[in-house]
Amino acid sequence: MVAVLALIGRRIVSEHRVKPPLAGTMPVYPASPARESFDLGLDSLGQRLETLEREISAGRQSSSRTAFLEARTAYKRVESLLEWYAPALASAMNGPLPEESEDRPAARLGAPAGFQILEEGLFPGGMSPGRDSIGATIRSMRESVAGFRALTRYLAVPDTSVLEAFRAELARITALGMAGFDVELTGNSVPEAAAAIDGMRTIETAMSRHGADARIEDSWHRLDQALASAVAYLRRNPRFETIDRLGFIVDCANPAARAVAAVRREMGVHSPRLKRLWRPEAATMFDGGAFDASAYAPDFSPPPTPRLIELGRRLFFEPRLSSTGDRTCASCHHPNQAFAEPRQRSAGLTGSTGVLRNAPTLLNSALAPALFADSRGASLEAQAELVLASPAEMGAGAEAAAGRLHADPRYRRDFAEALETRADGSINGRDVRIALAAYVRTLVGLDAPFDRAVRGDSTAMSSEASRGFNLFMGKGRCATCHFLPLFNGTAPPDFVRSEMEIIGVPATSAGMRPHLDTDPGRAAIDREATHTGAFKVPTLRNVALTAPYMHNGVFSSLREVIDFYNRGGGSGMGLRVPGQTLSARPLHLTRRDRNDLIAFLRALTDTSSRNEAPMN
């Protein structure tokens, strides 16, 4: 409760640019139309949770399931503002819990919470958490909603914040809701997405009818129509397995997001100039230029300039960065193969024991908040340092590499010109890392056939690829880990954390009796036993060019990868995989399904980034 109150205080300060409230005091605001609507939605949620608790306590299975669906529908109707004002509460209500938290020990990956625990206990196919756990969960949910509801009088809920919340919610629905991210057993994700948008429309109607600026009445009307159209589409097409998600995005979600952006623009709303991956001025996640490749750069890295980027490109192909003088970054990240490694594992420097894992693509690596398969790197600058220092990779470290470069007068001049802070002509390890990172941040490709299709080009993808996209989002369950639009493990709308998963990758792909790969993954970094075998979800962009696959390069083709998931990962193959986060249930993909999925994955190819080696 203290955390929720503190968050509300921060929202009040940020929204109204007022001094923080004195200790023990919080200003009470008159209810805005949006807040009144929000309050009514929270009251309805509380009532639905009370009914659900009563049905569960009475042991009435069928009516408990009905009450569950009604309660989560009520939650979805307030999700946009609940996620905006109390994201920790939203996570506790609908899970999964974040992997890391300051106020509790590390949980297993993908630990369920709230509705997800209840779903497991109420519906067929779930692993029942037990009657006591279900009872404790529903009581905690009721108390949390009641406690938050008692605090909403401290919220102003101005139109500007509501529109920001709508923008985020449309992205959340598009990428997560339509993929069934939080719906494992009920198959109710499409009706729930309709409820979320209808809840937004209820709030928007209250705003536009009471006190809205009459000068932008037409824009409010267009937003209302866009939201109504999206709800109608979803209600006409309620089945998770068959809904045309590409059609929904192009014809409904994107127009709604642009209508939100139009109202914000006409109201003169300007988002705070914070470093965010998804640029605040972008209406949708699919817009050209929607992502800022420098969002995760550390504070010490200067804004990239053409000179700095060109210097970094030269360094990428510079053998003097290695201790042996015969290896470059491009030795493992091959430009003509989407900056990936075509071997199972990269070869080590002479005399080393070799590299533990397959080198992944660097294309779009700037768009992830954690790097390496075990997420040990927090930035491209940190990645460069770790690779340069690795005995098996570059063998010396950034400072040693800087020393060798300093002996070259041309490099001394180029560093001084690129960084404009080296009047003495010196070069240090940080300079090397900054330059390399500046170049890698240019390796962004978000204009694949899929991108053009989702922006409205109906000819950009084949019918097979379009069917494959719906399989990817639906039956194949791929998008519950590889999130739109980056197809990595960084979930919208906040893009703050790279998800890790335990899927049970085998050590070899051949043989009737496979055995589990012994790489500990994230557990080798954080020493958490429950994270054994956990690896960062990689991007699938350009995946058709980056074989072999998995951290150990065990699969040589996309068909092998799809077959692995089709069987239910390692557990589905019969391996013992403690803590597997991937469902072990088979996907039952047909041959046509698999072919369509491959066609879609090929439609994620964009290698337009500059990749040629510099001339000497």
Side-chain angles (χ1 to χ4, degrees):
M1 189 61 63
V2 172
V4 172
L5 185 59
L7 178 59
I8 292 174
R10 289 197 295 274
R11 289 293 190 197
I12 291 170
V13 172
S14 65
E15 289 171 356
H16 297 279
R17 302 175 184 239
V18 298
K19 294 180 180 179
L22 297 175
T25 68
M26 290 287 285
V28 176
Y29 288 94
S32 67
R35 204 197 82 192
E36 287 181 345
S37 182
F38 187 31
D39 285 347
L40 288 172
L42 289 169
D43 291 340
S44 177
L45 173 58
Q47 293 163 7
R48 296 295 184 182
L49 288 172
E50 184 177 355
T51 300
L52 175 58
E53 183 178 28
R54 185 170 59 249
E55 297 302 320
I56 289 175
S57 298
R60 293 188 282 264
Q61 186 182 70
S62 177
S63 56
S64 292
R65 291 174 181 172
T66 299
F68 171 88
L69 295 175
E70 291 174 348
R72 193 154 68 179
T73 296
Y75 168 83
K76 288 292 180 178
R77 291 184 65 84
V78 296
E79 184 179 57
S80 61
L81 292 187
L82 196 61
E83 284 276 7
W84 179 255
Y85 283 104
L89 175 58
S91 179
M93 287 288 294
N94 200 43
L97 291 175
E99 283 84 51
E100 298 176 3
S101 174
E102 295 178 356
D103 57 1
R104 62 177 173 79
R108 68 178 176 86
L109 294 181
F115 283 115
Q116 294 187 2
I117 293 175
L118 301 180
E119 185 179 20
E120 286 284 338
L122 295 175
F123 289 86
M127 298 178 63
S128 177
R131 188 177 182 87
D132 290 344
S133 178
I134 291 174
T137 298
I138 186 65
R139 284 193 298 275
S140 176
M141 292 169 69
R142 279 192 61 206
E143 291 169 1
S144 295
V145 172
F148 179 71
R149 175 65 180 86
L151 296 174
T152 58
R153 65 184 184 274
Y154 299 114
L155 293 174
V157 193
D159 293 358
T160 53
S161 293
V162 174
L163 292 168
E164 289 270 13
F166 282 4
R167 174 180 183 266
E169 182 68 3
L170 286 167
R172 189 178 293 112
I173 291 166
T174 300
L176 306 182
M178 297 303 292
F181 175 71
D182 56 355
V183 179
E184 179 67 22
L185 302 174
T186 65
N188 201 46
S189 63
V190 177
E192 288 182 7
I197 298 175
D198 199 41
M200 293 163 58
R201 189 182 179 212
T202 298
I203 296 168
E204 170 269 322
T205 299
M207 293 162 57
S208 62
R209 289 181 179 174
H210 301 282
D213 189 338
R215 292 173 297 178
I216 59 171
E217 184 177 343
D218 288 346
S219 293
W220 281 109
H221 178 70
R222 285 192 290 272
L223 173 57
D224 181 74
Q225 291 299 107
L227 295 175
S229 177
V231 172
Y233 183 95
L234 294 172
R235 289 179 175 163
R236 288 195 307 270
N237 302 277
R239 293 190 59 197
F240 179 80
E241 298 83 3
T242 58
I243 186 171
D244 178 6
R245 291 169 176 84
L246 184 61
F248 169 73
I249 295 172
V250 172
D251 297 331
C252 300
N254 284 353
R258 294 186 187 109
V260 170
V263 175
R264 292 175 68 226
R265 186 169 55 250
E266 294 193 29
M267 290 179 66
V269 175
H270 299 287
S271 298
R273 300 306 302 172
L274 303 175
K275 291 179 71 173
R276 300 179 185 174
L277 185 66
W278 183 23
R279 297 181 192 272
E281 62 270 21
T284 83
M285 300 182 296
F286 307 105
D287 290 357
F291 292 95
D292 179 2
S294 66
Y296 302 132
D299 291 340
F300 63 76
S301 272
T305 63
R307 280 182 172 174
L308 183 59
I309 292 168
E310 178 59 25
L311 175 59
R313 187 171 75 96
R314 285 176 52 208
L315 293 178
F316 193 86
F317 297 93
E318 175 55 75
R320 280 174 285 185
L321 294 187
S322 67
S323 60
T324 56
D326 61 0
R327 168 169 289 202
T328 72
C329 302
S331 298
C332 297
H333 297 282
H334 301 265
N336 61 349
Q337 291 178 294
F339 288 86
E341 172 63 271
R343 289 178 283 198
Q344 274 194 302
R345 292 176 174 84
S346 301
L349 284 176
T350 303
S352 76
T353 58
V355 178
L356 180 64
R357 299 169 183 144
N358 174 262
T361 179
L362 290 181
L363 293 177
N364 299 314
S365 61
L367 308 181
L371 301 163
F372 296 103
D374 52 23
S375 289
R376 68 186 184 276
S379 68
L380 290 171
E381 287 80 358
Q383 180 188 50
E385 171 61 32
L386 291 167
V387 171
L388 289 170
S390 168
E393 295 175 86
M394 302 298 274
E399 293 298 336
R404 289 189 291 273
L405 297 176
H406 182 77
D408 186 332
R410 181 184 175 192
Y411 268 121
R412 292 200 300 273
R413 182 198 69 210
D414 290 347
F415 269 94
E417 291 178 350
L419 292 173
E420 300 179 355
T421 58
R422 292 286 180 264
D424 59 357
S426 64
I427 303 172
N428 62 37
R430 176 183 283 191
D431 300 336
V432 173
R433 293 187 289 129
I434 286 172
L436 282 169
Y439 169 60
V440 175
R441 288 193 178 98
T442 68
L443 304 180
V444 172
L446 299 176
D447 194 32
F450 165 77
D451 299 294
R452 296 192 291 276
V454 83
R455 292 171 194 151
D457 183 352
S458 60
T459 66
M461 285 203 306
S462 66
S463 58
E464 292 82 5
S466 296
R467 288 197 303 268
F469 172 64
N470 282 320
L471 286 163
F472 186 93
M473 293 285 289
K475 181 180 178 180
R477 308 289 294 179
C478 314
T480 59
C481 295
H482 297 275
F483 305 119
L484 267 67
L486 301 178
F487 297 94
N488 61 14
T490 309
D494 297 324
F495 297 98
V496 296
R497 187 179 67 249
S498 284
E499 300 286 347
M500 305 197 78
E501 300 286 345
I502 301 171
I503 62 175
V505 175
T508 61
S509 60
M512 297 297 293
R513 302 179 66 182
H515 59 277
L516 193 64
D517 187 79
T518 57
D519 189 329
R522 180 63 183 174
I525 305 301
D526 62 16
R527 306 301 178 186
E528 289 289 343
T530 57
H531 296 170
T532 300
F535 294 91
K536 182 171 73 75
V537 177
T539 181
L540 295 185
R541 285 185 172 271
N542 297 298
V543 70
L545 307 176
T546 59
Y549 304 107
M550 305 299 180
H551 66 273
N552 59 357
V554 66
F555 298 129
S556 60
S557 69
L558 288 174
R559 194 168 297 278
E560 286 183 290
V561 175
I562 292 172
D563 287 343
F564 169 76
Y565 284 109
N566 195 33
R567 295 173 65 180
S571 293
M573 295 172 65
L575 302 178
R576 183 178 179 275
V577 189
Q580 178 167 309
T581 56
L582 176 72
S583 172
R585 290 188 287 272
L587 296 173
H588 302 294
L589 298 173
T590 66
R591 180 183 294 274
R592 182 185 181 184
D593 289 342
R594 291 182 291 234
N595 289 338
D596 289 344
L597 271 173
I598 291 172
F600 168 66
L601 292 172
R602 287 173 177 159
L604 295 178
T605 302
D606 175 11
T607 58
S608 57
S609 299
R610 187 179 184 188
N611 60 16
E612 72 276 9
M615 300 295 292
N616 292 328

